[in-house]
């Protein structure tokens, strides 16, 4: 990409001259869709991001939220999420790995220590060889990077859908932990302070990554766009994590920004612009790993494992000492000013031929960037795009055989076990994980506050393809229900809003739908959306992706323990929550075709979530598992263990497979207590008993299905079976 003509005209009017090559490239990247949110920012005001628990909301590297605590000292958590979609298509290993590294450094920028990761992954059909290649590379990249840096990957989701064939999605969330005295922001504090670059040396990798992420993927992207993909070094990241911890502990960091999109130029200009200040940077002072790098390359390379710190002049030497202790590079690259954002460079490549066509300019220290920082950071004009409202689906339900439908849905890669994925992740490092991957939500112990922190992340492209607005509402409710099933109450959320080319009215209409749906349900649930990420132009020769609103939501529990998803074999089985009676967006329709309206959601979802959290905490509750993807049939199949089974009765075949969120199956020894808690909130239906034989028996409208534990496991092990 290059700076579009209309943007160049705006820049020239502001500067009163033509931009230099470095300035043009900087504006191109920082005014890209990826950085400036030119098509999405007008829609994002729909989100509520305030609340008593919110310490730092949208606009920083990560959000900060206060936990309720049993102690005398306040405890904060950071929440962040980002996408690395295009890079993961071009190079699945490095693209996914550097996505993990980037969101971890966003956490470091706030003064926090990373304690958990959750990744939501979306690929084309599982039976396609290329989809499997991408899946294997992405999972390997995430596991390699996360395992090496010692941050547990505790949850997430994996989905397959035909419309991701030419453009997979890799969305990664990170949770960090800090106390109020350690809080740092990305807002420069005072002129005269030094700007210090700490971390890996700068190379030429990742050049133009921000602009690359702001255009459709071309047919030859895997070869042509390889230079735009960064290369990660998790061992350097681990050193950077520990060095950052030491710097923050000694109070040496006044402001910080991770070097991500647009590299040094993006991080340093945004840091000073946010503080209403300027900077003077000498680019040749940056420590480099490749010879003869020019100003533009140093400014925009997205080499990984680097942080930009604002440091008081008297603390610079101590920062150098700590960087040296952790074997990290350290460069004092400039200082904060009260003027423009200025970059100078000394070298034969200081000015390009475009800047000096005659070649007569002397070669010495030259100014290659001199622009108002606020204009660079926030001056991009917003796009005014047309949109069309998605059509409501007709009712055209397929005729299905119960046994065939059960095996197709339970054995679908979408609803099947993801153990092949999460067993590659170290999910217990750090000694905090009490509920592991594979359950409705992860649960990590925050002993500093005496609380359990539940984490749920994901979306369902079947839902949002069928009904963008209602599907996104369902995504928010499902994540909240996942937390409640582990006894936690929702606290806050961050989103990663993925869409296709917004210049297509139907695509932008679907994207608008998921924004409004997610915002409305989170508002209804009183869950502030405290930050997030937008990724558009996820479009290729295969067409646009489904509108995909990945949500990462955290909740708080008074316990480090939670009821399991599998039955104990000793209780009554109850379904709590109302059926929405629609099959729209279901895995059943994905397998057998047809269409239907999207299921109606509860009228008071907050009351449902609160009641479920209370029931999960009852001593008489033996197991809880939410009902969503694949419907009751999948939920009950997943609850069967080797020595504990399910004997249930369901009214109809369609009742087995409709996917209304806000429901759960509860195994309890006291059905009366569950009914009492849901009285006036939602219906409670007894569907059967748990057994001690490790068998699922379903009586459905006069028919009967019976599957043993081993048969169910074989059905659900499709990923392991096909990939090993």
């Amino acid at each position: 990409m290059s700076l579009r003509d209309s943007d160049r005209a705006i820049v020239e009017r502001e500067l009163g001259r033509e931009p230099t090559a470095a300035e043009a490239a900087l504006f191109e990247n920082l005014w890209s869709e990826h950085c400036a949110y030119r098509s999405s920012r007008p829609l994002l005001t729909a989100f509520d991001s305030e609340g008593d628990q919110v310490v730092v909301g949208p606009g920083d590297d990560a959000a900060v939220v206060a936990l309720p605590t049993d102690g005398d000292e306040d405890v904060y958590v950071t929440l962040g999420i980002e996408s690395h979609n295009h890079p993961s298509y071009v190079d699945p290993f490095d693209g996914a790995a550097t996505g993990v590294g980037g969101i971890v450094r966003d956490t470091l920028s706030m003064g926090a220590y990373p304690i958990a990761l959750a990744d939501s992954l979306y690929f084309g059909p599982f039976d396609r060889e290329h989809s499997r290649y991408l899946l294997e590379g992405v999972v390997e990249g995430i596991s390699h990077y996360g395992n090496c840096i010692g941050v547990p990957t505790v949850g997430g989701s994996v989905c397959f859908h035909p419309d991701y064939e030419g453009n997979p999605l890799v969305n990664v969330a990170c949770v960090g932990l800090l106390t109020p005295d350690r809080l740092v922001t990305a807002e420069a504090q005072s002129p005269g302070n030094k700007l210090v670059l700490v971390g890996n040396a700068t190379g030429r990798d990742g050049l133009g990554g921000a602009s690359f992420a702001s255009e459709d993927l071309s047919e030859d992207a895997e070869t042509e766009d390889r230079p735009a993909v960064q290369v990660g070094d998790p061992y350097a990241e681990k050193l950077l994590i520990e060095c950052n911890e030491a710097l923050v502990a000694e109070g040496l960091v006044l402001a910080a920004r991770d070097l991500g999109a647009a590299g040094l130029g993006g991080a340093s200009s945004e840091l000073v612009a946010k503080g209403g200040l300027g900077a003077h940077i000498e680019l040749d002072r940056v420590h480099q790993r490749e010879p003869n790098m020019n100003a533009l390359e140093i400014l925009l390379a997205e080499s990984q494992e680097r942080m930009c710190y604002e440091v008081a002049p008297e603390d610079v030497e101590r920062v150098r000492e700590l960087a040296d202790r952790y074997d990290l590079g350290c460069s004092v690259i400039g200082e904060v000013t009260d003027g423009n954002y200025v970059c100078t460079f000394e070298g034969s490549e200081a000015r390009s031929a475009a800047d000096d066509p005659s070649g007569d300019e002397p070669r010495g220290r030259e100014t290659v960037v001199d622009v108002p920082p606020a204009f660079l950071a926030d001056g991009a004009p917003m796009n005014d795009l047309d949109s069309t409202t998605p059509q409501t689906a007709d009712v055209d339900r397929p005729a299905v055989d119960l046994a065939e439908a059960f095996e197709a849905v339970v054995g679908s890669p979408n609803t099947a076990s993801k153990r092949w994925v999460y067993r590659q992740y170290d999910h217990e490092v750090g000694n905090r994980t009490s509920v592991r991957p594979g359950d409705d939500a992860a649960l990590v112990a925050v002993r500093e506050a005496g609380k359990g922190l539940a984490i749920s992340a994901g979306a369902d492209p079947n839902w949002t393809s069928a009904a963008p607005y209602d599907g996104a509402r369902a995504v928010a409710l499902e994540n909240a229900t996942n937390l409640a099933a582990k006894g936690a109450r929702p606290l806050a959320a961050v989103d990663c809003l993925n869409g296709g080319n917004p210049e297509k009215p139907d695509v932008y209409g679907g994207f608008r739908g998921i924004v409004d749906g997610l915002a409305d349900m989170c508002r209804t649930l009183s869950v502030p959306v405290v930050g997030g990420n937008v990724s558009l132009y996820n479009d290729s020769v295969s067409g646009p992706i489904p509108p995909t609103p990945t949500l990462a939501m955290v909740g708080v529990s008074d316990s480090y323990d939670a009821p399991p998803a599998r039955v104990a074999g000793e209780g009554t089985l109850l379904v709590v929550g109302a059926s929405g009676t629609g099959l729209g967006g279901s895995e059943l329709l994905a397998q057998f075709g047809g269409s239907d309206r999207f299921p109606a959601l509860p009228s008071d979802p907050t009351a449902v979530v609160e009641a479920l959290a209370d029931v999960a905490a009852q001593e008489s509750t033996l197991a809880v598992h939410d009902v969503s993807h694949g419907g009751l049939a999948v939920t009950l199949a997943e609850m069967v263990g080797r020595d504990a089974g399910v004997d249930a009765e369901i009214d109809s075949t369609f009742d087995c497979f409709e996917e209304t969120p806000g429901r759960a199956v509860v195994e309890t020894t006291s059905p009366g207590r569950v009914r009492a808690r849901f009285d006036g909130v939602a219906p409670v239906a007894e569907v059967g008993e748990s057994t001690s034989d490790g068998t699922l028996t379903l009586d459905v409208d006069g028919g009967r299905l019976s599957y043993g534990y081993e048969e169910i496991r074989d059905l659900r092990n499709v990923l392991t079976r096909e990939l090993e």
Side-chain angles (χ1 to χ4, degrees):
M1 293 180 69
S2 59
L3 187 63
R4 65 176 74 172
D5 291 342
S6 58
D7 289 347
R8 179 178 286 273
I10 295 171
V11 170
E12 289 178 356
R13 282 198 301 270
E14 176 69 21
L15 301 183
R17 57 175 172 79
E18 289 188 6
T20 67
E23 288 169 340
L26 197 55
F27 277 106
E28 173 200 335
N29 279 267
L30 288 179
W31 284 19
S32 67
E33 185 68 50
H34 184 75
C35 291
Y37 291 3
R38 299 176 65 160
S39 301
S40 60
R41 189 178 294 182
L43 307 181
L44 300 182
T45 56
F47 289 104
D48 286 346
S49 57
E50 297 181 350
D52 292 341
Q53 70 273 46
V54 181
V55 179
V56 178
D60 221 306
D61 275 355
V64 182
V65 179
L67 293 180
T69 177
D70 293 338
D72 296 330
E73 297 184 2
D74 291 336
V75 177
Y76 296 165
V77 292
T78 61
L79 305 177
I81 191 168
E82 77 168 32
S83 60
H84 243 222
N85 302 335
H86 283 26
S88 297
Y89 177 82
V90 174
D91 181 346
F93 179 88
D94 282 316
T98 52
V100 173
I103 197 62
V104 167
R105 291 192 302 279
D106 285 343
T107 302
L108 303 185
S109 296
M110 309 307 295
Y113 196 89
I115 63 169
L117 293 161
D119 52 78
S120 299
L121 313 176
Y122 308 84
F123 302 97
F126 181 67
D127 60 2
R128 303 284 178 87
E129 182 179 352
H130 192 250
S131 297
R132 297 185 188 186
Y133 156 75
L134 293 173
L135 170 65
E136 290 177 314
V138 164
V139 170
E140 184 182 3
I142 291 171
S143 64
H144 173 69
Y145 206 100
N147 294 354
C148 288
I149 64 175
V151 181
T153 301
V154 298
S157 60
V158 182
C159 296
F160 302 93
H161 189 284
D163 292 343
Y164 297 119
E165 171 72 18
N167 196 133
L169 302 182
V170 175
N171 297 171
V172 183
C174 185
V175 176
L177 185 65
L178 74 158
T179 50
D181 59 299
R182 297 174 58 88
L183 178 62
V184 176
T185 68
E187 182 175 324
Q189 299 298 302
S190 179
N193 288 332
K194 300 300 182 181
L195 293 175
V196 182
L197 188 64
V198 175
N200 262 349
T202 298
R204 291 185 170 91
D205 54 317
L207 277 168
S211 57
F212 161 61
S214 303
E215 59 185 354
D216 295 349
L217 280 171
S218 63
E219 194 166 8
D220 56 0
E222 288 175 287
T223 53
E224 294 299 315
D225 292 320
R226 183 63 187 81
V229 179
Q230 310 90 338
V231 178
D233 179 355
Y235 302 105
E237 180 98 347
K238 177 59 176 174
L239 295 172
L240 190 58
I241 290 171
E242 301 306 327
C243 182
N244 188 82
E245 184 77 357
L247 293 170
V248 172
E250 293 192 22
L252 301 173
V253 178
L254 300 176
R257 196 98 195 190
D258 152 52
L259 271 69
L264 174 62
S268 57
S269 65
E270 289 171 350
L271 187 146
V272 296
K274 193 172 177 63
L277 297 168
H280 185 277
I281 295 173
E282 297 182 10
L283 294 173
D284 43 290
R285 291 191 175 188
V286 171
H287 51 287
Q288 303 161 40
R289 73 166 185 264
E290 297 187 38
N292 302 318
M293 291 186 69
N294 62 38
L296 190 151
E297 292 169 334
I298 296 169
L299 191 64
L300 290 176
E302 296 182 9
S303 303
Q304 297 293 284
E305 296 86 38
R306 300 181 298 160
M307 298 285 291
C308 182
Y309 296 118
E310 180 188 9
V311 177
E314 63 270 21
D315 291 332
V316 168
E317 285 310 309
R318 180 56 179 160
V319 172
R320 286 188 191 276
E321 291 173 5
L322 288 173
D324 186 60
R325 176 191 296 178
Y326 289 97
D327 200 24
L328 294 170
C330 179
S331 303
V332 181
I333 60 172
E335 67 179 24
V336 179
T337 69
D338 55 6
N340 271 0
Y341 177 74
V342 177
C343 298
T344 63
F345 185 69
E346 183 173 3
S348 59
E349 299 296 328
R351 293 171 65 83
S352 71
D355 298 329
D356 179 23
S358 68
D360 295 334
E361 289 278 352
R363 300 299 185 182
R365 177 160 299 283
E366 299 184 54
T367 298
V368 293
V369 176
D370 186 353
V371 299
F375 178 66
L376 178 61
D378 299 312
M382 296 297 103
N383 295 330
D384 183 13
L385 301 174
D386 294 330
S387 65
T388 57
T389 303
Q391 298 295 311
T392 302
D394 296 327
V395 177
D396 181 20
R397 295 181 173 182
V400 297
D401 173 76
L402 175 61
E404 182 183 5
F406 179 89
E407 294 188 7
V409 172
V410 173
S412 163
N414 277 326
T415 61
S417 169
K418 304 305 186 296
R419 186 174 181 274
W420 180 87
V421 175
Y422 63 73
R423 76 179 185 185
Q424 299 183 51
Y425 304 149
D426 187 340
H427 45 263
E428 294 186 325
V429 62
N431 197 31
R432 292 183 182 271
T433 310
S434 57
V435 175
R436 303 172 182 177
D439 212 311
D440 292 330
L443 189 66
V444 297
V446 183
R447 300 178 187 88
E448 295 82 351
K451 301 292 182 182
L453 188 73
I455 304 168
S456 175
D460 189 326
N462 286 338
W463 293 357
T464 47
S465 292
Y469 176 79
D470 284 326
R473 291 176 66 231
V475 166
L477 178 56
E478 191 222 351
N479 278 282
T481 305
N482 285 340
L483 303 180
K486 301 301 110 177
R489 285 173 168 73
L491 179 71
V494 289
D495 58 33
C496 193
L497 303 169
N498 306 270
N501 186 332
E503 298 164 40
K504 300 176 181 178
D506 59 331
V507 170
Y508 197 55
F511 183 78
R512 181 187 293 270
I514 64 170
V515 170
D516 290 343
L518 207 63
D520 286 353
M521 181 55 77
C522 286
R523 184 182 306 109
T524 299
L525 294 169
S526 298
V527 177
V529 180
V530 292
N533 176 75
V534 177
S535 175
L536 295 175
Y537 292 94
N538 291 290
D539 221 315
S540 69
V541 292
S542 300
I545 64 160
T548 309
T550 299
L551 193 69
M553 187 181 292
V554 298
V556 179
S557 170
D558 290 330
S559 174
Y560 304 150
D561 297 320
R566 281 189 172 167
V567 294
E570 301 171 358
T572 300
L573 298 177
L574 306 176
V575 175
V576 299
S579 166
T581 69
L583 285 171
S586 67
E587 187 62 29
L588 182 75
L589 294 187
Q591 293 292 321
F592 291 94
S595 59
D596 198 1
R597 63 180 183 83
F598 197 79
L601 303 182
S603 58
D604 189 354
T606 302
V608 173
V609 169
E610 290 178 349
L612 182 59
D614 285 343
V615 164
Q618 292 175 356
E619 291 184 4
S620 51
T621 296
L622 304 178
V624 182
H625 193 12
D626 92 303
V627 180
S628 55
H629 314 295
L632 263 175
V634 170
T635 297
L636 294 172
E638 290 176 338
M639 296 184 80
V640 173
R642 189 178 301 275
D643 299 315
V646 167
D647 188 347
E649 182 175 352
I650 302 174
D651 289 342
S652 72
T653 298
F654 291 129
D655 287 335
C656 289
F657 302 108
E658 69 94 2
E659 300 183 4
T660 309
R663 296 181 298 156
V665 174
V666 177
E667 181 193 17
T668 178
T669 58
S670 181
R673 292 188 67 188
V674 178
R675 293 183 187 279
R677 181 59 186 88
F678 273 89
D679 185 34
V681 174
V684 176
E686 183 174 332
V687 294
E689 301 284 340
S690 60
T691 66
S692 59
D693 61 1
T695 299
L696 172 65
T697 302
L698 287 180
D699 291 313
V700 182
D701 194 22
R704 168 168 285 200
L705 296 178
S706 182
Y707 291 86
Y709 169 77
E710 297 291 345
E711 293 174 289
I712 294 171
R713 189 182 67 173
D714 288 345
L715 275 176
R716 301 191 65 245
N717 271 355
V718 58
L719 268 66
T720 300
R721 185 169 60 250
E722 297 297 327
L723 294 173
E724 293 187 348

